[in-house]
Amino acid sequence: MLDKNAAMLDTLKDIKSLSSTLFYNSLTCHTSKLLDQVELPTEELAPPSSLMSSLSLLQDILSCKDSAVLSAEHRQQDYQKILRTVVEPLIQMCTVSASRLNTIEMAVYMVNCLHQQQVVLSLFEYTESHLELIQAQIDAHLDTLISEDASYILNKLGLAVIYSNMQKTSSNASLLPDMGAEAIKSAMVKFDEFMVRPDNYHFYQMSLLKANKHRDIIGQQACVLLLTVYELIYKCIHTPEQGYSHPHSILPRTPQQVKTLLHLS
């Protein structure tokens, strides 16, 4: 056993401090280079190779820390410092990389990148705060995609114009352009086709999302918004002041029936 005042202990402490400084400087240098030379997204909107290699490096580092003989307190402190040094710059890198994409492509790309980080961090302890940060950002981008998808479907079905016109008047909607019974029936034919094959009506970038659960969330929540629009149209058509005779022949299905057909609980 060495005496606590032995010079060897001071030397070992200095070596430990120096190695720690060099380690974090190396990580900082790595992430700085990523931000200086941001990799542009590909057409597949997949996570870039620079992100994948950095996450592989992070996984190796955290695995080593996980097997190190450290107290839980010291291991948690090390994890937090490593995550702050690597994860936040990686998110920033992806954000910069996505900056020139359109709204839908940006959201898809960011969800894919963030999900990949989430997969790696979920393998380790003491990552909860960063997982929450990543999940909050994923949720925000999913909200964007849900709104964009619902809008895309409404336009494709011809319901966007009908919905917009109905919001402009409290009576005689049937007299407005594109609001006649035949025009609405035509839109309902397309709506019926959508309920049978909804996958044919989503924006094409939906297929570029890497996680099935994200596609499912967007599809289901977009249907919730579509149901809300259908309920408003149904109410308008069945309101006598709007001037539609035989409303049941225009919209034969109730909102509850549509809800069932869309598989919404």
Side-chain angles (χ1 to χ4, degrees), residues 40-187:
L40 296 177
T42 63
E43 291 182 358
E44 291 76 22
L45 302 178
S49 58
S50 54
L51 175 64
M52 300 301 290
S53 60
S54 296
L55 289 175
S56 178
L57 173 64
L58 177 62
Q59 186 169 349
D60 289 343
I61 292 171
L62 294 180
S63 295
C64 289
K65 287 289 183 181
D66 208 28
S67 60
V69 183
L70 294 171
S71 67
E73 181 180 358
H74 283 116
R75 189 160 61 248
Q76 182 175 10
Q77 290 173 354
D78 283 354
Y79 267 49
Q80 291 302 315
K81 190 171 182 179
I82 292 168
L83 293 173
R84 285 195 302 271
T85 305
V86 178
V87 174
E88 292 166 25
L90 287 182
I91 294 175
Q92 184 181 356
M93 179 195 73
C94 295
T95 302
V96 174
S97 176
S99 61
R100 295 185 181 182
L101 299 173
N102 65 39
T103 301
I104 292 176
E105 291 174 342
M106 178 187 293
V108 169
Y109 179 71
M110 288 302 298
V111 168
N112 285 338
C113 291
L114 291 165
H115 173 68
Q116 196 62 48
Q117 295 178 63
Q118 193 178 53
V119 168
V120 172
L121 294 188
S122 65
L123 300 174
F124 301 96
E125 57 185 349
Y126 310 126
T127 59
E128 291 82 3
S129 61
H130 283 82
L131 285 171
E132 289 174 3
L133 169 67
I134 291 172
Q135 187 59 54
Q137 294 198 32
I138 289 176
D139 290 343
H141 290 299
L142 287 178
D143 285 344
T144 296
L145 292 173
I146 291 165
S147 177
E148 291 288 338
D149 192 42
S151 178
Y152 179 83
I153 295 170
L154 285 173
N155 278 292
K156 199 167 183 178
L157 298 179
L159 291 175
V161 173
I162 295 171
Y163 175 60
S164 177
N165 284 336
M166 285 186 173
Q167 291 181 307
K168 297 175 183 177
T169 181
S170 58
S171 62
N172 294 317
S174 61
L175 302 179
L176 295 174
D178 301 314
M179 292 297 291
E182 292 305 315
I184 296 175
K185 284 181 180 180
S186 178

